[in-house]
Amino acid sequence: QMSADARFRGPLDSANISATATAQGLRIGNPQVDKVIGGQSQLSADLSFQDGKLRINAARLTNPELSADLSGLADSTRQTLDIKASLRNLGVILPDFPGPLTLTGAVVNQGADAAVDLEVKGPGGINAVITGKVAAGRGDLAIKGQGHAALSNVFITPRAVSGDLGFDLRLNGPL
């Protein structure tokens, strides 16, 4: 179930757009994802056009488990998106690691590629930085950080690993 409302005010070259939407019981058929997106979700956005640029003054998505705030600016040559998102409780997906997981950073698209600069922090010692570029299905990304090896246990059951884990990875190729 979903309802939405949008408003457009002003002339095209300096318009303001506001939108809201509410959805209940979203599902995609993946049990872990469905736990995160279920419940009541609300979306709000405040956009404006000025001097040939689209500004995302504020966009917010919230539900009982997830919140995400976006802002940015786009013109014909460059698009910037600032991101701040949090999962209220990683334990919903990984029961042994309760607590909030946060993602902050920016994605800047300029021409043929997008520069990525993101930071992830959370329970289980999660502390990672993802930097680099993404273009046309290819990536050149550095992923550096640390966390507890047991974070992967849900994916390798019945095997299990433990201990602290540091990583310094490079992805250079198809995504």
Side-chain angles (χ1 to χ4, degrees):
Q1 181 178 356
M2 185 172 159
S3 63
D5 181 55
R7 307 234 185 245
F8 188 97
R9 292 180 306 278
L12 281 176
D13 62 347
S14 61
N16 285 354
I17 301 170
S18 61
T20 59
T22 301
Q24 181 70 39
L26 297 174
R27 284 185 287 254
I28 65 166
N30 178 307
Q32 272 113 356
V33 174
D34 290 349
K35 288 179 192 177
V36 172
I37 65 172
Q40 185 175 18
S41 296
Q42 295 183 322
L43 172 69
S44 63
D46 175 23
L47 312 172
S48 59
F49 292 103
Q50 191 70 41
D51 301 322
K53 297 177 182 176
L54 171 65
R55 178 177 301 280
I56 302 171
N57 299 313
R60 182 165 180 78
L61 170 67
T62 60
N63 72 27
E65 294 297 330
L66 181 68
S67 68
D69 292 293
L70 306 172
S71 61
L73 185 63
D75 63 25
S76 61
T77 60
R78 179 180 170 103
Q79 299 82 41
T80 302
L81 187 62
D82 295 310
I83 304 164
K84 182 178 180 185
S86 65
L87 180 62
R88 184 188 66 80
N89 181 12
L90 182 59
V92 169
I93 301 168
L94 301 172
D96 293 337
F97 296 94
L101 178 74
T102 62
L103 175 120
T104 57
V107 177
V108 178
N109 185 25
Q110 190 166 346
D113 58 26
V116 176
D117 186 3
L118 302 171
E119 183 176 21
V120 181
K121 291 186 176 206
I126 296 171
N127 188 1
V129 174
I130 304 163
T131 57
K133 295 188 184 264
V134 177
R138 296 189 57 82
D140 183 6
L141 298 171
I143 306 163
K144 298 178 183 179
Q146 60 267 346
H148 295 306
L151 286 162
S152 66
N153 286 345
V154 71
F155 304 106
I156 63 172
T157 301
R159 294 168 297 285
V161 293
S162 64
D164 292 332
L165 176 68
F167 48 91
D168 187 350
L169 306 171
R170 186 76 181 193
L171 168 71
N172 191 357
L175 296 176

